[in-house]
């Protein structure tokens, strides 16, 4: 790898660390604060906001130096870092399933990094017509997914998560155009507006997805985001894979391994079984009937 790609890799890793730390801080803040209004007055929540902003800024800068199909998949590392960090903060052990998930995710990402991004350069960016084409296509797919979810489908959470992943990936793609070509023009202004719209839409759709739980929606969102970005990079930005067919096969194997790892990391953890109640507790579950006290009126009746 050349120096710009290594710089993009380093920036992406620090960005993932910022996002993971912010997620842990937000989780702990939410656990100790009922409602969003209570969280807003806590300094820890604002630290999480700053960490998220730093992660987003580093991600955009990484897109300036590295291809989209390399930078975007590294966002999966947020989940890999957040799991052990969350366990450490909560003072609980990381389960064997979580360790296997992290190992598979890292192995898959290593395979992807080995063969990713031989075709395009960091100077590649979408043209105005391509920006509008990507935005319209993504908006149409997101609208279909939202309509499916709104129809009270049993897979509503996964539909919202898929829509969120697509929206976030398109936002990152358009942010890359601003990073590569920051000149003032109607094209840049259009890309900036669409970037904000898709980023905000992805955030709101993720919130809707988590209403159905965390495990399945989080795994779906984490996978759909880099896959969508990589598809845009390969089809429109000329990005590809090294080593021909062998590289493509290795990339597919890496993607499958990373996908399995993310699913394991996102699976709900089994709770420790509650201890069996002692003899006294078992007796107390069936209280003795209270003896009736007959009053004079009741005896007369």
């Amino acid at each position: 790898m050349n120096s710009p790609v290594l710089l993009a890799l380093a920036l992406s890793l620090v960005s993932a660390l910022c996002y993971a730390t912010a997620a842990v801080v937000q989780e702990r803040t939410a656990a100790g604060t009922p409602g969003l209004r209570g969280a807003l007055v806590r300094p820890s929540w604002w630290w999480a906001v700053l960490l998220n902003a730093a992660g987003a800024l580093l991600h955009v800068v990484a897109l300036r130096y590295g291809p989209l199909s390399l930078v975007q998949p590294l966002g999966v590392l947020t989940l890999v870092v957040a799991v052990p960090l969350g366990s450490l903060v909560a003072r609980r052990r990381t389960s064997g399933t979580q360790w296997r998930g992290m190992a598979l995710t890292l192995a898959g990402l290593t395979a992807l990094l080995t063969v990713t991004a031989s075709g395009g350069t960091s100077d590649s960016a979408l043209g105005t017509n391509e920006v509008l084409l990507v935005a319209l296509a993504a908006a149409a797919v997101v609208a279909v997914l939202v309509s499916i979810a709104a129809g009270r489908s049993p897979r509503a959470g996964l539909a919202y998560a898929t829509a969120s992943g697509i929206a976030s990936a398109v936002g990152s793609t358009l942010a890359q155009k601003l990073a590569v070509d920051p000149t003032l023009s109607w094209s840049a202004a259009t890309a900036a507006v669409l970037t904000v719209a898709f980023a905000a839409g992805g955030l709101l759709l993720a919130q809707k997805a988590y209403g159905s739980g965390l495990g399945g929606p989080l795994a779906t969102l984490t996978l759909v985001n880099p896959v969508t970005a990589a598809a845009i990079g390969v089809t429109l930005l000329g990005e590809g894979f090294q080593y021909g067919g062998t590289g493509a096969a290795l990339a597919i194997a890496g993607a499958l391994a990373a996908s399995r790892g993310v699913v394991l990391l996102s699976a709900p953890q089994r709770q420790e079984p509650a201890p069996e109640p002692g003899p006294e507790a078992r007796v107390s579950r069936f209280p003795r009937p209270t003896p009736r006290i007959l009053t004079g009126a009741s005896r007369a009746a």
Side-chain angles (χ1 to χ4, degrees):
M1 293 185 182
N2 53 28
S3 296
V5 173
L6 288 176
L7 179 58
L9 177 61
L11 291 170
S12 299
L13 293 175
V14 179
S15 173
L17 180 60
C18 289
Y19 280 130
T21 306
V24 173
V25 173
Q26 285 178 292
E27 180 190 15
R28 302 304 299 174
T29 302
T33 307
L36 179 59
R37 181 174 298 180
L40 290 176
V41 300
R42 296 191 60 177
S44 59
W45 191 87
W46 290 104
W47 278 113
V49 171
L50 291 176
L51 286 167
N52 274 312
L57 179 61
L58 290 169
H59 180 77
V60 171
V61 176
L63 288 171
R64 174 65 181 85
Y65 293 101
L68 186 68
S69 56
L70 169 67
V71 173
Q72 199 69 13
L74 289 172
V76 177
L77 289 176
T78 299
L79 189 59
V80 177
V81 175
V83 170
L85 185 60
S87 298
L88 179 64
V89 172
R91 296 182 179 180
R92 63 174 182 265
R93 294 181 60 183
T94 302
S95 69
T97 299
Q98 291 174 319
W99 284 117
R100 289 193 297 274
M102 285 186 284
L104 282 171
T105 304
L106 289 173
L109 283 173
T110 301
L112 285 171
L113 292 176
T114 302
V115 300
T116 295
S118 65
T121 66
S122 60
D123 294 329
S124 301
L126 298 176
T128 303
N129 292 335
E130 292 172 329
V131 166
L132 295 176
L133 176 63
V134 168
L136 289 174
V141 175
V142 167
V144 171
L145 290 169
V146 170
S147 66
I148 293 174
R152 299 193 178 279
S153 164
R155 301 288 183 178
L158 299 183
Y160 278 126
T162 303
S164 175
I166 293 173
S168 299
V170 171
S172 295
T173 304
L174 300 180
Q176 186 208 31
K177 175 178 174 58
L178 299 175
V180 171
D181 184 18
T183 58
L184 293 176
S185 63
W186 284 110
S187 177
T190 301
V193 171
L194 291 173
T195 297
V196 174
F198 276 104
L203 182 63
L204 295 175
L205 289 167
Q207 189 64 42
K208 293 285 290 183
Y210 293 144
S212 299
L214 182 63
L218 178 59
T220 302
L221 192 158
T222 306
L223 291 173
V224 169
N225 190 322
V227 168
T228 301
I232 295 172
V234 170
T235 56
L236 297 179
L237 297 179
E239 299 174 1
F241 301 103
Q242 302 183 69
Y243 314 124
T246 303
L250 185 58
I252 293 173
L256 291 175
S259 300
R260 177 59 180 166
V262 170
V263 170
L264 290 176
L265 283 170
S266 303
Q269 302 301 307
R270 291 187 302 177
Q271 301 294 329
E272 293 293 330
E276 288 292 328
E280 295 181 359
R282 284 195 293 267
V283 171
S284 64
R285 291 173 56 188
F286 303 98
R288 297 176 181 177
T290 303
R292 289 186 63 186
I293 300 176
L294 299 178
T295 61
S298 62
R299 283 194 296 268

